[in-house]
Amino acid sequence: CWVVAAPKSGSTWLTWLLEQCLGWPKAVLLPCYERREQEIDLRMLDSHAEKADLITPNQHCRFSLATEAFIGRPGVKVILQVRDLFDMLASKIDHIEREGPLFPMAYMDMESWHQLEHSARTDFIIDMIAPWYFNFYVSWMKSGFVGTDRVLLVEYGKLTGQPATTLAEGFAFLDVSVERQQ
């Protein structure tokens, strides 16, 4: 199960819920985060070659030929999480305030961030970060995989409003059985 998500779409929570319910080992598919584009690095799977069921934590990866090849491998299933663009951008501003501006979408350092007025911070997010979100969303929606037996679309509002139902749909998609109580 590869969890792919737009940043600030609740994917950390979704990944945690899946990990708790499934108990599968975690396999990170990239060597580091921070400013690196979060493309798949299949070498990261080498240490997990003997395991049949794995969960990969939330990865902010646009659709590409590399992701298409990975999804084409036997048994790979993607849970793709999205959220309303305006909510994600507002959340991104809060995230930068709390944790700093380390992300691959655009360059910003904390000193420069703090020198900006609030309106300039918002402009930075709209001008520099929003285009990445559009690219992420459109690349996945145009991939031909969303809604197939390979990619399940999970919307933030549904996950937060109906977590048990949304997880049950995810388990059915993954073809795994999990007790309702769990």
Side-chain angles (χ1 to χ4, degrees), residues 7-8 44 51 68 99 112 116 125-126 128 130 159 161 169:
K8 309 314 299 170
M44 302 301 291
K51 296 177 180 89
E68 181 176 20
E99 298 184 33
S112 299
L116 297 174
I125 294 296
I126 292 168
M128 302 300 290
L159 177 65
E169 290 169 0

Side-chain angles (χ1 to χ4, degrees), residues 136-155:
F136 171 87
Y137 184 82
V138 172
S139 69
W140 279 100
M141 293 305 126
K142 295 283 189 176
S143 72
F145 284 101
V146 176
T148 69
D149 65 343
R150 292 300 186 146
V151 178
L152 174 69
L153 184 65
V154 172
E155 295 180 9

Side-chain angles (χ1 to χ4, degrees), residues 111-127:
E111 181 181 340
S112 299
W113 178 260
H114 285 301
Q115 290 174 359
L116 297 174
E117 296 292 324
H118 180 73
S119 63
R121 291 176 186 179
T122 302
D123 288 345
F124 173 81
I125 294 296
I126 292 168
D127 295 343

Side-chain angles (χ1 to χ4, degrees), residues 64-167:
S64 66
L65 290 176
T67 56
E68 181 176 20
F70 181 62
I71 295 168
R73 295 169 67 134
V76 173
K77 299 253 183 165
V78 177
I79 295 181
L80 177 65
Q81 189 164 3
V82 297
R83 181 180 181 184
D84 175 82
L85 177 65
F86 297 109
D87 290 344
M88 287 187 298
L89 295 177
S91 184
K92 191 68 174 173
I93 292 172
D94 293 340
H95 177 90
I96 294 171
E97 294 291 335
R98 285 188 322 274
E99 298 184 33
L102 286 175
F103 40 77
M105 297 95 181
Y107 186 87
M108 174 60 69
D109 59 66
M110 203 60 167
E111 181 181 340
S112 299
W113 178 260
H114 285 301
Q115 290 174 359
L116 297 174
E117 296 292 324
H118 180 73
S119 63
R121 291 176 186 179
T122 302
D123 288 345
F124 173 81
I125 294 296
I126 292 168
D127 295 343
M128 302 300 290
I129 305 296
W132 188 97
Y133 278 94
F134 283 112
N135 188 302
F136 171 87
Y137 184 82
V138 172
S139 69
W140 279 100
M141 293 305 126
K142 295 283 189 176
S143 72
F145 284 101
V146 176
T148 69
D149 65 343
R150 292 300 186 146
V151 178
L152 174 69
L153 184 65
V154 172
E155 295 180 9
Y156 175 85
K158 185 171 181 194
L159 177 65
T160 58
Q162 303 171 336
T165 301
T166 306
L167 283 173

Side-chain angles (χ1 to χ4, degrees), residues 45-66:
L45 285 175
D46 289 346
S47 63
H48 302 284
E50 73 288 348
K51 296 177 180 89
D53 294 322
L54 296 170
I55 187 165
T56 65
N58 46 309
Q59 189 169 340
H60 311 311
C61 180
R62 295 175 286 179
F63 186 83
S64 66
L65 290 176

